[in-house]
């Protein structure tokens, strides 16, 4: 047996090192970080800006307290679409959705624990929002409340309730507003039916609906989360006004560890730490800064100017919870299908 040529061995080693360095660069990681721990957060699409700030802040805090380097990658899309992706195999370590129903889908598929909502405070919802209106400057159609969205000639931009939590919350907010003001089910159905007849395009997610309204300049009013309208006004300046309805829905943003993934990859400690960071004062302040309503009273008071007072009702108040709302309104053949396909 002949021994290996030393020069050839050195050359081979250099080639392997160069390949590894190129691979790290290709995937956007510094060479020293190619083997670092990585989490994936599958989130709903109007939280892009929030997690751009949350993720590095968490990584820095985790490094400071544990000495471990953890990077967080991000996936965004309509809440229900993200849930289906995770159910179908997207290996997210955590999910940060905008409705409990989407996490319950993952429970049914065996990837999230059935008691996920009890593992963290506030029903595992570290922040919440509500539905408001974004209108053209000066509010030329004089849109003030839910009934105004049903008027003839008003074009309303809402994402699809079948694929977007944003769309579901809008639908339920309009329906529930009628009930909370003393109306009956028939009146609620009539209002929601008229509103959706005024929707020219049903985008798959909230961010797509925002693009339709702001950049494609379609529609008279966009119904979306409070934090999204504030982002739009920051980007586009005085082109738009924000209108708060007299009553709206409390839109919780639940979070969960994806048990099947973290156990497979030995990431439970880091994934749990990531969600706990959302509840920390540092995380809550970042959340409030992005116009999402925090659970921390301290953070809420500091950014109080971001949040107007509005009467809010919950899904439980009017619909008996997400499972009941999903079965009645958004399942195939449910109220939405009957309204939209009429």
């Amino acid at each position: 047996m002949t021994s290996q040529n030393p020069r050839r061995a050195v050359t081979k080693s250099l080639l392997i090192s160069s390949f590894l360095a190129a691979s790290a660069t290709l995937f956007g990681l510094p060479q020293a970080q190619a083997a670092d721990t990585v989490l994936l957060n599958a989130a709903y699409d109007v939280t892009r800006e929030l997690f751009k700030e949350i993720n590095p802040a968490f990584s820095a805090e985790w490094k400071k307290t544990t000495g471990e380097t953890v990077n967080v990658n991000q996936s965004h899309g309509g809440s229900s679409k993200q849930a289906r992706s995770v159910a179908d195999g997207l290996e997210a370590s955590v999910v940060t959705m905008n409705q409990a129903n989407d996490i319950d889908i993952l429970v049914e598929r065996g990837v999230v624990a059935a008691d996920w909502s009890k593992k963290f405070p506030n029903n595992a919802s570290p922040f919440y929002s509500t539905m408001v209106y974004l209108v053209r400057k000066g509010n030329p159609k004089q849109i003030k409340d839910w009934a105004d969205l049903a008027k003839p000639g008003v074009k309303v931009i809402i994402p699809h309730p079948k694929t977007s939590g944003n769309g579901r919350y809008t639908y339920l907010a309009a329906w529930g507003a009628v009930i909370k003001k003393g109306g009956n089910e028939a009146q609620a159905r009539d209002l929601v039916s008229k509103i959706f007849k005024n929707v020219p395009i049903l985008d798959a997610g909230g961010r797509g609906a925002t693009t339709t309204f702001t950049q494609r300049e379609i529609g008279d009013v966009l119904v979306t989360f409070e934090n999204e309208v504030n982002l739009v006004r920051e980007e586009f300046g005085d082109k738009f006004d924000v209108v708060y309805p007299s009553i709206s829905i409390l839109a919780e943003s639940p979070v969960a560890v994806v048990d099947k993934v973290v156990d497979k990859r030995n990431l439970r400690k880091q994934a749990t730490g990531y969600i706990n960071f959302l509840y920390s004062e540092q995380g809550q302040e970042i959340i409030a800064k992005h116009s999402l309503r925090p659970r921390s009273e301290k953070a809420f008071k500091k950014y109080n100017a971001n949040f107007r007072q509005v009467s809010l009702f919950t899904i439980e108040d009017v619909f008996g919870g997400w499972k009941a709302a999903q079965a009645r309104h958004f399942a195939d053949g449910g109220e939405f299908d009957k309204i939209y396909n009429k």
Side-chain angles (χ1 to χ4, degrees):
M1 182 180 293
T2 60
S3 60
Q4 188 175 15
N5 185 310
R7 181 177 297 176
R8 183 176 297 171
V10 170
T11 302
K12 183 178 180 181
S13 178
L14 289 171
L15 286 171
I16 292 172
S17 297
S18 298
F19 172 77
L20 291 174
S23 298
T25 302
L26 176 63
F27 289 100
L29 296 175
Q31 293 180 32
Q33 293 181 349
D36 288 342
T37 301
V38 177
L39 300 176
L40 175 62
N41 174 18
Y44 68 99
D45 58 358
V46 299
T47 54
R48 295 172 193 265
E49 290 74 17
L50 169 66
F51 287 113
K52 280 181 183 178
E53 188 168 353
I54 284 284
N55 293 345
F58 162 74
S59 296
E61 183 63 21
W62 189 261
K63 178 73 172 179
K64 177 182 175 182
T65 56
T66 70
E68 180 186 17
T69 299
V70 175
N71 295 309
V72 184
N73 290 337
Q74 201 64 40
S75 171
H76 289 286
S79 186
S80 299
K81 185 176 181 181
Q82 288 288 77
R84 286 196 298 273
S85 295
V86 175
D88 291 340
L90 176 66
E91 292 201 336
S93 312
V94 299
V95 289
T96 52
M97 301 299 193
N98 63 20
Q99 57 176 303
N101 188 59
D102 285 332
I103 299 181
D104 287 335
I105 290 170
L106 302 180
V107 173
E108 293 171 6
R109 295 291 288 270
V111 296
V112 169
D115 62 346
W116 64 269
S117 65
K118 299 176 182 177
K119 291 180 179 292
F120 300 95
N122 306 111
N123 298 316
S125 297
F127 55 90
Y128 62 102
S129 189
T130 190
M131 310 311 295
V132 300
Y133 314 144
L134 189 70
V135 297
R136 307 291 173 189
K137 186 66 178 175
N139 195 6
K141 294 295 179 79
Q142 291 299 297
I143 293 164
K144 297 178 181 178
D145 218 338
W146 295 104
D148 297 320
L149 305 185
K151 291 179 178 178
V154 175
K155 293 182 180 178
V156 187
I157 304 301
I158 302 169
H160 204 305
K162 291 276 194 171
T163 57
S164 167
N166 183 318
R168 281 194 184 94
Y169 272 120
T170 298
Y171 172 106
L172 295 174
W175 188 292
V178 174
I179 302 301
K180 294 299 285 185
K181 289 182 177 181
N184 59 36
E185 295 289 319
Q187 290 169 326
R189 185 180 298 107
D190 181 63
L191 175 68
V192 173
S193 178
K194 288 177 179 176
I195 289 173
F196 276 89
K197 279 182 170 57
N198 283 348
V199 178
I201 297 171
L202 281 174
D203 290 289
R207 188 51 58 90
T210 298
T211 298
T212 293
F213 183 72
T214 59
Q215 297 183 27
R216 297 175 64 191
E217 298 186 343
I218 296 173
D220 302 301
V221 54
L222 168 71
V223 188
T224 190
F225 293 111
E226 180 180 42
N227 66 300
E228 180 75 350
V229 299
N230 288 331
L231 283 172
V232 170
R233 294 189 75 196
E234 288 175 10
E235 181 177 352
F236 293 96
D238 278 344
K239 290 182 64 177
F240 305 100
D241 291 330
V242 180
V243 176
Y244 279 70
S246 61
I247 187 169
S248 194
I249 198 164
L250 190 152
E252 290 187 315
S253 295
V255 299
V257 171
V258 183
D259 297 89
K260 184 176 181 180
V261 172
V262 300
D263 290 340
K264 173 185 174 182
R265 295 191 167 193
N266 195 27
L267 292 173
R268 181 171 293 278
K269 178 178 70 173
Q270 297 87 343
T272 302
Y274 180 77
I275 290 180
N276 283 333
F277 180 78
L278 298 176
Y279 286 93
S280 71
E281 281 302 328
Q282 184 182 358
Q284 290 282 290
E285 183 165 328
I286 294 171
I287 285 165
K289 187 170 73 172
H290 285 267
S291 298
L292 288 155
R293 299 185 177 220
R295 299 298 187 174
S296 162
E297 291 184 12
K298 181 180 177 181
F300 192 94
K301 287 178 181 178
K302 183 173 180 178
Y303 289 90
N304 188 54
N306 288 352
F307 311 113
R308 297 187 199 175
Q309 286 192 341
V310 58
S311 178
L312 300 177
F313 63 87
T314 69
I315 299 291
E316 287 74 17
D317 286 341
V318 177
F319 304 98
W322 267 113
K323 286 186 178 179
Q326 172 66 26
R328 179 183 175 189
H329 293 275
F330 307 116
D332 290 346
E335 290 281 3
F336 175 75
D337 283 349
K338 293 174 183 176
I339 285 169
Y340 194 70
N341 296 323
K342 187 186 292 185

